[in-house]
Amino acid sequence: MKLGIVLSDLHIGTGHRKGAVNIYDDFREDDRLAQLLRRYDLPPHQDDEVHLVLNGDIYDLLKVPVNGKFPDAITERLSLFKLEQCLTGHPVVVEALKRFLASPKHRITYQPGNHDM
């Protein structure tokens, strides 16, 4: 069976630390996203072809500060820095995506949104 999952507007930021509020990160569902993706490795879906579409605003790079500031001009270098901060802040999500892609029957399409740029 071929299945499709479409997710958008997750707005993943730099993560949440225990005991500290991060007002710049709207995403708090790391475990639930991992649980959702894990379902497609288990019966009855373990043999299905699954296409995950990350349909915009998955990462919220606009809310990632650089040296405590929010620069207006974003270079490729700054974008990579900001994305690295998001990936580091949400290791459960990163591992869930890696595990999802470990199946040769799974694929991901990433469609950038205005917050991803």
Side-chain angles (χ1 to χ4, degrees):
M1 180 183 299
K2 292 185 178 187
L3 301 173
I5 307 166
V6 180
L7 300 175
S8 69
D9 296 282
L10 300 180
H11 293 276
I12 295 172
T14 58
H16 299 277
R17 310 303 181 267
K18 190 171 185 171
V21 176
N22 181 357
I23 62 171
Y24 299 115
D25 192 343
D26 297 331
F27 190 75
R28 291 177 170 83
E29 301 298 339
D30 301 64
D31 292 332
R32 291 182 73 183
L33 178 57
Q35 181 183 26
L36 170 70
L37 296 179
R38 208 171 13 255
R39 296 179 95 186
Y40 297 96
D41 290 330
L42 304 170
H45 300 294
Q46 77 274 10
D47 295 322
D48 293 342
E49 292 180 37
V50 184
H51 182 190
L52 172 62
V53 178
L54 299 175
N55 197 33
D57 294 346
I58 301 306
Y59 300 100
D60 199 340
L61 301 184
L62 295 175
K63 290 185 179 178
V64 177
V66 176
N67 297 323
K69 299 185 182 201
F70 297 91
D72 293 336
I74 304 298
T75 63
E76 181 178 350
R77 184 171 162 237
L78 281 178
S79 294
L80 289 172
F81 172 82
K82 287 175 170 242
L83 181 58
E84 184 177 310
Q85 299 304 305
C86 294
L87 297 175
T88 301
H90 291 273
V92 171
V93 171
V94 172
E95 287 304 313
L97 292 169
K98 286 165 71 174
R99 189 172 42 250
F100 178 82
L101 281 176
S103 169
K105 293 186 175 193
H106 294 175
R107 67 185 175 121
I108 296 176
T109 298
Y110 188 90
Q111 179 65 42
N114 63 316
H115 291 250
D116 294 297
M117 303 285 189

